Amino acid sequence: MSTVAVRAMFRSHPEKPAHSEAMSRCIDACFSAVETCTACADACLSERDVSHLVPCIRMNLDCAAVCNATGNIMARSNKAGHRQLLEAQLANCTAFCRACAEECSRHGDVHRHCAVCAEACTACAEACTLMLATMRMPT
């Protein structure tokens, strides 16, 4: 779902969720990271020497799974009673994205797909951090 579609959905939502702009950016960044991490894992598997990329592939797949869960949770805008759980999920996603970006950065000078993945993961970590900060501000 694109950011434009997510924004339109939140505007039409009967409860008019707070922080819909930050939520839209976070959701978009999460799903972008899912796609990029999955593609990076596939590209790593296509390299001639895969053995040194195994930790990167594993991190890509784990990060994609966490980002997918986070994006899905964020898309369900009614968070009443689940604030602590949502904050924990956002913090977890941030941690996975930072770790994946770090791992991919180790290979980014040789494998361009890893550099692209590191950028997407960094953007997702920033969007999740912004969402956490926004949630802590009064609505």
Side-chain angles (χ1 to χ4, degrees):
M1 197 177 331
S2 74
T3 303
V4 173
V6 172
R7 285 185 185 125
M9 186 62 65
F10 287 148
R11 279 193 306 274
S12 67
H13 196 285
E15 294 181 3
K16 304 292 184 219
H19 314 303
S20 61
E21 189 66 29
M23 285 175 67
S24 297
R25 282 193 302 265
C26 184
I27 292 165
D28 187 52
C30 284
F31 289 128
S32 177
V34 169
E35 294 167 353
T36 307
C37 287
T38 302
C40 187
D42 183 67
C44 286
L45 287 168
S46 298
E47 295 291 344
R48 279 188 207 189
D49 181 16
V50 176
S51 62
H52 75 285
L53 294 170
V54 169
C56 188
I57 295 165
R58 287 186 175 134
M59 181 56 69
N60 286 156
L61 296 175
D62 289 345
C63 189
V66 171
C67 290
N68 189 52
T70 305
N72 283 319
I73 292 166
M74 289 302 302
R76 293 185 296 276
S77 63
N78 185 356
K79 307 296 185 283
H82 301 289
R83 185 181 185 101
Q84 286 180 317
L85 295 173
L86 180 57
E87 288 179 0
Q89 183 66 33
L90 287 165
N92 191 41
C93 190
T94 299
F96 266 91
C97 284
R98 286 182 180 154
C100 192
E102 183 179 323
E103 178 63 35
C104 281
S105 291
R106 292 185 189 134
H107 312 286
D109 57 335
V110 176
H111 305 292
R112 178 71 183 129
H113 53 85
C114 286
V116 171
C117 189
E119 291 172 18
C121 288
T122 298
C124 187
E126 290 171 358
C128 287
T129 300
L130 176 64
M131 186 66 228
L132 272 169
T134 302
M135 286 175 59
R136 293 177 178 146
M137 295 176 3
T139 55

Tab-separated table of all heavy atoms in Angstrom, residues 46-75:
chain	number	residue	atom	x	y	z
A	46	SER	N	22.288	-14.961	-4.907
A	46	SER	CA	22.691	-15.050	-6.308
A	46	SER	C	24.175	-14.759	-6.513
A	46	SER	O	24.685	-14.926	-7.625
A	46	SER	CB	21.861	-14.077	-7.151
A	46	SER	OG	20.498	-14.424	-7.076
A	47	GLU	N	24.848	-14.321	-5.482
A	47	GLU	CA	26.285	-14.046	-5.585
A	47	GLU	C	27.066	-15.353	-5.727
A	47	GLU	O	26.613	-16.408	-5.290
A	47	GLU	CB	26.774	-13.272	-4.349
A	47	GLU	CG	26.186	-11.889	-4.204
A	47	GLU	CD	26.655	-10.892	-5.255
A	47	GLU	OE1	27.669	-11.151	-5.951
A	47	GLU	OE2	26.000	-9.839	-5.390
A	48	ARG	N	28.247	-15.261	-6.301
A	48	ARG	CA	29.083	-16.454	-6.476
A	48	ARG	C	29.498	-17.073	-5.149
A	48	ARG	O	29.417	-18.277	-4.972
A	48	ARG	CB	30.337	-16.107	-7.266
A	48	ARG	CG	30.106	-16.050	-8.716
A	48	ARG	CD	31.397	-15.890	-9.425
A	48	ARG	NE	31.096	-15.213	-10.686
A	48	ARG	CZ	31.952	-15.056	-11.634
A	48	ARG	NH1	33.182	-15.484	-11.495
A	48	ARG	NH2	31.600	-14.450	-12.744
A	49	ASP	N	29.978	-16.238	-4.252
A	49	ASP	CA	30.417	-16.729	-2.943
A	49	ASP	C	29.389	-16.307	-1.897
A	49	ASP	O	29.413	-15.186	-1.401
A	49	ASP	CB	31.799	-16.165	-2.596
A	49	ASP	CG	32.318	-16.659	-1.262
A	49	ASP	OD1	31.777	-17.654	-0.732
A	49	ASP	OD2	33.262	-16.044	-0.741
A	50	VAL	N	28.498	-17.201	-1.586
A	50	VAL	CA	27.399	-16.912	-0.663
A	50	VAL	C	27.821	-17.088	0.787
A	50	VAL	O	27.260	-16.446	1.674
A	50	VAL	CB	26.188	-17.821	-0.999
A	50	VAL	CG1	25.062	-17.634	-0.002
A	50	VAL	CG2	25.697	-17.557	-2.399
A	51	SER	N	28.815	-17.898	1.037
A	51	SER	CA	29.145	-18.285	2.414
A	51	SER	C	29.385	-17.088	3.334
A	51	SER	O	28.914	-17.088	4.477
A	51	SER	CB	30.342	-19.229	2.449
A	51	SER	OG	31.480	-18.589	1.915
A	52	HIS	N	30.055	-16.064	2.865
A	52	HIS	CA	30.315	-14.905	3.731
A	52	HIS	C	29.079	-14.003	3.870
A	52	HIS	O	29.054	-13.101	4.709
A	52	HIS	CB	31.527	-14.107	3.225
A	52	HIS	CG	31.254	-13.272	2.007
A	52	HIS	ND1	31.129	-13.819	0.755
A	52	HIS	CD2	31.065	-11.940	1.874
A	52	HIS	CE1	30.883	-12.847	-0.113
A	52	HIS	NE2	30.844	-11.699	0.529
A	53	LEU	N	28.047	-14.261	3.074
A	53	LEU	CA	26.824	-13.462	3.133
A	53	LEU	C	25.706	-14.115	3.957
A	53	LEU	O	24.636	-13.537	4.104
A	53	LEU	CB	26.318	-13.177	1.715
A	53	LEU	CG	27.226	-12.290	0.859
A	53	LEU	CD1	26.749	-12.269	-0.585
A	53	LEU	CD2	27.300	-10.895	1.431
A	54	VAL	N	25.954	-15.290	4.497
A	54	VAL	CA	24.921	-15.992	5.264
A	54	VAL	C	24.383	-15.144	6.419
A	54	VAL	O	23.161	-15.033	6.588
A	54	VAL	CB	25.418	-17.377	5.736
A	54	VAL	CG1	24.467	-18.006	6.748
A	54	VAL	CG2	25.604	-18.303	4.532
A	55	PRO	N	25.249	-14.499	7.226
A	55	PRO	CA	24.695	-13.647	8.302
A	55	PRO	C	23.833	-12.500	7.754
A	55	PRO	O	22.817	-12.142	8.351
A	55	PRO	CB	25.926	-13.103	9.016
A	55	PRO	CG	27.027	-14.059	8.691
A	55	PRO	CD	26.714	-14.558	7.304
A	56	CYS	N	24.208	-11.961	6.622
A	56	CYS	CA	23.453	-10.875	5.996
A	56	CYS	C	22.089	-11.379	5.525
A	56	CYS	O	21.067	-10.732	5.753
A	56	CYS	CB	24.252	-10.298	4.827
A	56	CYS	SG	23.540	-8.803	4.112
A	57	ILE	N	22.072	-12.543	4.909
A	57	ILE	CA	20.825	-13.127	4.421
A	57	ILE	C	19.875	-13.384	5.586
A	57	ILE	O	18.696	-13.032	5.529
A	57	ILE	CB	21.102	-14.428	3.639
A	57	ILE	CG1	21.902	-14.125	2.371
A	57	ILE	CG2	19.804	-15.161	3.316
A	57	ILE	CD1	22.542	-15.341	1.727
A	58	ARG	N	20.394	-13.965	6.648
A	58	ARG	CA	19.562	-14.229	7.823
A	58	ARG	C	19.009	-12.940	8.409
A	58	ARG	O	17.833	-12.853	8.772
A	58	ARG	CB	20.352	-14.998	8.868
A	58	ARG	CG	20.570	-16.431	8.491
A	58	ARG	CD	21.227	-17.211	9.610
A	58	ARG	NE	21.304	-18.613	9.233
A	58	ARG	CZ	22.384	-19.363	9.380
A	58	ARG	NH1	23.479	-18.867	9.926
A	58	ARG	NH2	22.364	-20.622	9.018
A	59	MET	N	19.864	-11.923	8.516
A	59	MET	CA	19.420	-10.644	9.065
A	59	MET	C	18.382	-10.004	8.149
A	59	MET	O	17.385	-9.459	8.614
A	59	MET	CB	20.612	-9.702	9.269
A	59	MET	CG	20.241	-8.363	9.870
A	59	MET	SD	19.363	-8.441	11.456
A	59	MET	CE	20.653	-9.035	12.512
A	60	ASN	N	18.590	-10.089	6.830
A	60	ASN	CA	17.605	-9.566	5.876
A	60	ASN	C	16.236	-10.201	6.097
A	60	ASN	O	15.220	-9.498	6.147
A	60	ASN	CB	18.017	-9.856	4.431
A	60	ASN	CG	19.143	-9.003	3.907
A	60	ASN	OD1	19.837	-9.411	2.989
A	60	ASN	ND2	19.340	-7.824	4.443
A	61	LEU	N	16.211	-11.511	6.215
A	61	LEU	CA	14.941	-12.223	6.354
A	61	LEU	C	14.276	-11.938	7.693
A	61	LEU	O	13.055	-11.768	7.761
A	61	LEU	CB	15.155	-13.725	6.143
A	61	LEU	CG	15.637	-14.106	4.736
A	61	LEU	CD1	15.931	-15.605	4.664
A	61	LEU	CD2	14.641	-13.693	3.672
A	62	ASP	N	15.070	-11.866	8.762
A	62	ASP	CA	14.508	-11.529	10.076
A	62	ASP	C	13.973	-10.105	10.092
A	62	ASP	O	12.880	-9.843	10.599
A	62	ASP	CB	15.551	-11.704	11.182
A	62	ASP	CG	15.885	-13.159	11.462
A	62	ASP	OD1	15.128	-14.047	11.011
A	62	ASP	OD2	16.903	-13.408	12.138
A	63	CYS	N	14.724	-9.189	9.522
A	63	CYS	CA	14.304	-7.787	9.478
A	63	CYS	C	13.024	-7.645	8.651
A	63	CYS	O	12.103	-6.928	9.050
A	63	CYS	CB	15.427	-6.922	8.903
A	63	CYS	SG	15.109	-5.144	9.034
A	64	ALA	N	12.955	-8.349	7.535
A	64	ALA	CA	11.747	-8.296	6.699
A	64	ALA	C	10.532	-8.791	7.485
A	64	ALA	O	9.453	-8.194	7.412
A	64	ALA	CB	11.938	-9.129	5.433
A	65	ALA	N	10.704	-9.853	8.264
A	65	ALA	CA	9.589	-10.396	9.046
A	65	ALA	C	9.123	-9.405	10.107
A	65	ALA	O	7.918	-9.185	10.289
A	65	ALA	CB	9.994	-11.722	9.691
A	66	VAL	N	10.063	-8.773	10.792
A	66	VAL	CA	9.715	-7.804	11.841
A	66	VAL	C	9.066	-6.564	11.228
A	66	VAL	O	8.062	-6.058	11.747
A	66	VAL	CB	10.962	-7.435	12.681
A	66	VAL	CG1	10.669	-6.274	13.609
A	66	VAL	CG2	11.436	-8.646	13.473
A	67	CYS	N	9.599	-6.085	10.127
A	67	CYS	CA	9.026	-4.908	9.461
A	67	CYS	C	7.625	-5.199	8.932
A	67	CYS	O	6.741	-4.334	8.999
A	67	CYS	CB	9.925	-4.443	8.320
A	67	CYS	SG	11.477	-3.714	8.870
A	68	ASN	N	7.414	-6.398	8.434
A	68	ASN	CA	6.088	-6.777	7.941
A	68	ASN	C	5.080	-6.769	9.088
A	68	ASN	O	3.985	-6.209	8.959
A	68	ASN	CB	6.140	-8.155	7.281
A	68	ASN	CG	4.862	-8.492	6.562
A	68	ASN	OD1	4.378	-7.722	5.740
A	68	ASN	ND2	4.296	-9.640	6.878
A	69	ALA	N	5.455	-7.354	10.210
A	69	ALA	CA	4.554	-7.361	11.370
A	69	ALA	C	4.280	-5.940	11.849
A	69	ALA	O	3.132	-5.580	12.142
A	69	ALA	CB	5.158	-8.196	12.498
A	70	THR	N	5.307	-5.125	11.896
A	70	THR	CA	5.152	-3.746	12.365
A	70	THR	C	4.246	-2.953	11.430
A	70	THR	O	3.345	-2.231	11.881
A	70	THR	CB	6.523	-3.058	12.500
A	70	THR	OG1	7.352	-3.856	13.357
A	70	THR	CG2	6.390	-1.657	13.079
A	71	GLY	N	4.446	-3.071	10.132
A	71	GLY	CA	3.603	-2.374	9.166
A	71	GLY	C	2.150	-2.791	9.283
A	71	GLY	O	1.247	-1.952	9.239
A	72	ASN	N	1.923	-4.084	9.461
A	72	ASN	CA	0.550	-4.581	9.606
A	72	ASN	C	-0.100	-4.070	10.882
A	72	ASN	O	-1.271	-3.677	10.876
A	72	ASN	CB	0.518	-6.112	9.578
A	72	ASN	CG	0.654	-6.653	8.176
A	72	ASN	OD1	0.075	-6.122	7.245
A	72	ASN	ND2	1.423	-7.711	8.026
A	73	ILE	N	0.635	-4.063	11.970
A	73	ILE	CA	0.099	-3.566	13.243
A	73	ILE	C	-0.203	-2.076	13.142
A	73	ILE	O	-1.250	-1.613	13.595
A	73	ILE	CB	1.074	-3.873	14.401
A	73	ILE	CG1	1.135	-5.380	14.645
A	73	ILE	CG2	0.675	-3.119	15.668
A	73	ILE	CD1	2.293	-5.821	15.524
A	74	MET	N	0.699	-1.320	12.531
A	74	MET	CA	0.506	0.126	12.398
A	74	MET	C	-0.697	0.439	11.504
A	74	MET	O	-1.374	1.439	11.714
A	74	MET	CB	1.753	0.794	11.815
A	74	MET	CG	2.942	0.848	12.757
A	74	MET	SD	2.610	1.703	14.303
A	74	MET	CE	2.101	3.298	13.725
A	75	ALA	N	-0.956	-0.408	10.526
A	75	ALA	CA	-2.077	-0.155	9.610
A	75	ALA	C	-3.428	-0.295	10.308
A	75	ALA	O	-4.420	0.257	9.840
A	75	ALA	CB	-2.012	-1.104	8.415
